[in-house]
Amino acid sequence: MEQGNHQQCLLPIIDSHIHLFPASDLDTLAWCSPDHALRAQHSVDEFLAATDNAPELRGFVFVETDRKSHHLQGGWEYPLQEVDWIARIANGEPVPGEGHEPGHARLCLGIVPWAPLPLGEHGLQSYVQQVRDRAGASRHLIKGFRYLVQDKLPGTMLEERFVEGLKWLGWNRYTFDLGVDYRSGGIWQLDEAIKMISRAHEDEAEEDKVVIIVNHMCKPNMRIDAWPPTEKSAVFVEWEDRIRRLASFPNTYMKISGAFSEILPLPAHDVNEPWSVTDKLTEATSRVGCWILSVFRIFGPERVMFGSDWPVCNPGGGGGKVAWRNWRWLVDNMLQDLPLSERDKQAVWSSNAAKAYRIS
């Protein structure tokens, strides 16, 4: 496949970050207002259409979709309902109208449900057992958990029970997906996350330290005026400094994902028309490229993984029919221009996700 003068790389892909939800569950999503752009079913059928059924797509890691919840036991209903939903996909047990079929089970390579980290070891243990029971035959696909902290109060990540919960995840070989938001939340979230990881790893054997998988490059402020950001840009320097500190923990990974939600809207274009290398793709790359390059410089290709953040990428990425492919093209163009070996590129597209999430 060609676009412009660029030959697309066809290495196997594991999309390390997608969200799926059926139309019947829209009212259980904490963010899904009646007029939300994504208020529609987004299941495997829609995902595969968005990828244009790319033959090199090996599969995906499902990440929880921020259902209405509370860490106390009375607030677990909708997250557990989400486990039931993704288990139907992973077990090949479709319900009519939900947008998936038995053969789609092979694509679900990992599941990262919500978990009540603030409850600490014992509360988390009780919840995870319920997750495993409800996942049934796909319980082996439960690779880690996420509890979004980007909208929580300062101090949440440093609470004793929260850190205790992270340690428990490490002891039991589960990962933790870290969702912080520099642009909307502030630099304090990254500072607190750095302290959180340090405390979670303190006094732990190397093999027991929880693996942290950072989402969306910490959502940097890609809306600043100067392009590309220079060393004079305080926003860029501040973000890059915290990324470097996060990378100082050897078992921390970074997902290059989520950027289409952080940039300012691109000039008007036909929705759902693929971007060309010489047009919108070039413009988008100019807005996100320096941030991605910084991640590669700091983490190295051995700890960076591709993620689409589908379908959240859709509104800012050209529309639901092309956003996944636009992001894939953007990342691929950047990888082709970096001094990376084929092994390095393969690591970014799939090997690092397989290693971090223990996907066989």
Side-chain angles (χ1 to χ4, degrees):
M1 289 183 288
E2 293 190 5
Q3 189 167 349
N5 297 319
H6 175 69
Q7 180 68 37
Q8 188 171 27
C9 180
L10 298 178
L11 293 169
I13 297 173
I14 294 177
D15 190 335
S16 70
H17 199 104
I18 77 165
H19 307 287
L20 301 169
F21 40 91
S24 58
D25 287 359
L26 293 176
D27 288 335
T28 73
L29 301 170
W31 47 269
C32 196
S33 59
D35 60 348
H36 198 283
L38 297 179
R39 191 176 175 84
Q41 178 160 289
H42 289 82
S43 188
V44 183
D45 282 346
E46 290 80 14
F47 174 67
L48 290 177
T51 70
D52 199 23
N53 290 290
E56 55 276 15
L57 180 67
R58 180 182 165 192
F60 58 79
V61 176
F62 167 86
V63 179
E64 62 93 17
T65 58
D66 193 16
R67 300 243 179 168
K68 296 173 182 176
S69 63
H70 191 279
H71 64 268
L72 298 179
Q73 190 162 359
W76 298 356
E77 177 185 358
Y78 294 138
L80 289 173
Q81 184 176 319
E82 180 169 70
V83 174
D84 295 338
W85 145 251
I86 190 62
R88 291 196 293 276
I89 294 174
N91 293 332
E93 300 170 348
V95 169
E98 284 193 341
H100 59 100
E101 56 190 55
H104 291 159
R106 65 177 179 82
L107 295 171
C108 187
L109 303 178
I111 299 171
V112 180
W114 175 90
L117 267 294
L119 288 185
E121 177 182 354
H122 297 298
L124 194 57
Q125 195 168 10
S126 173
Y127 173 80
V128 170
Q129 186 57 56
Q130 291 189 50
V131 168
R132 289 177 55 81
D133 290 344
R134 294 174 83 142
S138 58
R139 64 172 58 90
H140 65 289
L141 295 177
I142 307 296
K143 303 300 185 180
F145 294 89
R146 186 170 81 155
Y147 178 84
L148 276 175
V149 289
Q150 64 188 31
D151 58 352
K152 302 303 186 292
L153 293 173
T156 297
M157 290 179 264
L158 303 181
E159 292 175 356
E160 183 177 352
R161 285 189 176 181
F162 198 101
V163 173
E164 178 186 281
L166 289 173
K167 287 178 176 287
W168 185 87
L169 292 181
W171 300 337
N172 290 276
R173 303 301 183 260
Y174 291 119
T175 62
F176 179 68
D177 263 58
L178 174 64
V180 292
D181 189 338
Y182 171 48
R183 181 176 67 84
S184 298
I187 194 65
W188 69 265
Q189 293 193 3
L190 281 67
D191 289 334
E192 192 166 296
I194 292 162
K195 293 177 183 177
M196 175 199 76
I197 298 171
S198 179
R199 294 183 186 182
H201 288 176
E202 188 176 12
D203 298 327
E204 298 297 333
E206 196 61 36
E207 63 272 17
D208 290 335
K209 292 179 180 177
V210 60
V211 171
I212 305 291
I213 302 175
V214 186
N215 296 178
H216 313 327
M217 300 179 284
C218 298
K219 295 191 174 183
N221 186 1
M222 297 180 180
R223 302 186 181 191
I224 59 177
D225 294 333
W227 297 104
T230 68
E231 58 186 6
K232 296 180 181 179
S233 167
V235 169
F236 184 79
V237 171
E238 185 177 66
W239 168 84
E240 189 175 54
D241 173 70
R242 274 42 170 212
I243 295 301
R244 187 171 289 107
R245 295 189 204 179
L246 286 168
S248 70
F249 302 101
N251 51 355
T252 300
Y253 292 80
M254 180 67 79
K255 292 180 179 179
I256 45 173
S257 58
F260 284 163
S261 299
E262 303 308 314
I263 61 174
L264 287 169
L266 294 170
H269 61 280
D270 293 332
V271 175
N272 289 322
E273 181 177 346
W275 297 346
S276 70
V277 168
T278 57
D279 187 12
K280 297 299 182 293
L281 191 59
T282 300
E283 174 70 13
T285 302
S286 74
R287 299 190 182 194
V288 307
C290 53
W291 308 89
I292 293 177
L293 289 175
S294 181
V295 166
F296 272 100
R297 283 198 306 268
I298 293 170
F299 274 86
E302 68 277 4
R303 288 195 287 152
V304 175
M305 65 181 76
F306 169 81
S308 69
D309 196 25
W310 188 89
V312 182
C313 63
N314 291 350
K321 294 181 179 179
V322 296
W324 189 94
R325 284 176 281 161
N326 287 339
W327 182 243
R328 183 249 181 107
W329 267 106
L330 188 154
V331 173
D332 191 39
N333 271 292
M334 294 202 65
L335 292 184
Q336 299 290 27
D337 291 338
L338 290 171
L340 300 177
S341 67
E342 287 301 296
R343 182 175 181 179
D344 289 337
K345 294 173 185 176
Q346 183 62 76
V348 175
W349 288 118
S350 63
S351 302
N352 291 339
K355 180 180 178 181
Y357 285 118
R358 307 176 322 283
I359 296 170
S360 57

